[in-house]
Amino acid sequence: MTLIVRAGERGVATLTLDSPANRNALSAQLVAELRDALADCAGDDTVRAVVLAHTGSTFCAGADLKAPPDPEALVGLMREIVALPKPVVARVTGHVRAGGLGLLAACDMAVAGEASSFALTESRLGLAPAVISLTLLPRVDRTAANRYYLTGERFDAAEAARIGLVTVAAEDVEKGLAPVLDGLRRASPQGLAASKELVTATVLRSFDQYAEDLIARSAALFASDEAREGMTAFLERRDPAWVR
């Protein structure tokens, strides 16, 4: 079963996360298919920009706890989005959780609708937003990162825009997206690639400098007793043992 659906219109390729049964969670299969689809877009001269969309009520629920991707594969996916010589715009009309925020933050821009919500839930599972910090921390207001990394609270599209996670919080996502895509269609391929290279240079350097350490840190957390309890409690829909 294919988890990524591709469509195109006037130079914009839309890659749709199509795994609603597990809320578009980042499984090994979804990550691999999305990486392949991005590579295809990179080599397609007819593609000016990429829209990352989703089916169902969830953009991405984070890592699939039943079939998680290798941390190196997830880092590779985020880096490929950042390094892609074509802009990537997220279209969000649903919920984004945990690792899904790292995927979202890797995109150059994001338009989110009123029904969307966001939360970094890792601390509640005995984990931390380790590898996704590579894309989140350069983008999100530091005071907000302190709060949402630690508390796991849910926040809405307006707050996501205020803290820099999304570009536009819109009542109508299509209307919010239209001027962004119009601007990208008016830009030259060379101009887009060169301009994106300027704004992503610092983020790519952070991948080169910190990715290996964060992958190791993530793996250690996932293997811990506390994380096993947190993930088991989540799957069993109960509070973990440490909740007071």
Side-chain angles (χ1 to χ4, degrees), residues 69-221:
D70 186 290
E72 291 185 6
L74 178 55
V75 169
L77 170 61
M78 294 191 300
R79 196 184 196 286
E80 284 168 20
I81 294 173
V82 175
L84 198 77
K86 302 173 183 185
V88 181
V89 183
R91 179 189 183 279
V92 182
T93 58
H95 310 301
V96 192
R97 297 290 182 269
L101 274 77
L103 181 65
L104 177 66
C107 298
D108 301 289
M109 290 172 277
V111 178
E114 288 185 324
S116 59
S117 70
F118 308 81
L120 288 158
T121 54
E122 286 89 344
S123 66
R124 299 186 180 193
L125 298 176
L127 302 168
V131 296
I132 64 173
S133 290
L134 291 164
T135 57
L136 275 170
L137 290 183
R139 182 164 186 154
V140 172
D141 171 82
R142 183 53 61 94
T143 301
N146 289 345
R147 176 176 180 174
Y148 296 122
Y149 265 51
L150 298 176
T151 68
E153 292 172 89
R154 185 182 304 180
F155 54 97
D156 62 14
E159 175 70 352
R162 186 191 71 80
I163 67 176
L165 178 62
V166 305
T167 315
V168 179
E171 290 185 21
D172 185 315
V173 172
E174 296 307 324
K175 288 183 179 178
L177 200 56
V180 173
L181 297 184
D182 180 64
L184 296 178
R185 287 184 171 114
R186 291 175 181 275
S188 81
Q190 176 177 281
L192 287 174
S195 297
K196 176 168 177 173
E197 188 176 8
L198 290 172
V199 297
T200 59
T202 301
V203 179
L204 290 173
R205 282 197 294 271
S206 75
F207 271 84
D208 296 336
Q209 186 172 359
Y210 301 117
E212 187 174 340
D213 173 68
L214 290 172
I215 288 170
R217 192 178 309 187
S218 178
L221 286 168

Side-chain angles (χ1 to χ4, degrees), residues 229 231-238:
E229 163 62 11
M231 290 185 284
T232 300
F234 175 80
L235 293 172
E236 294 177 351
R237 299 181 180 275
R238 62 172 174 82

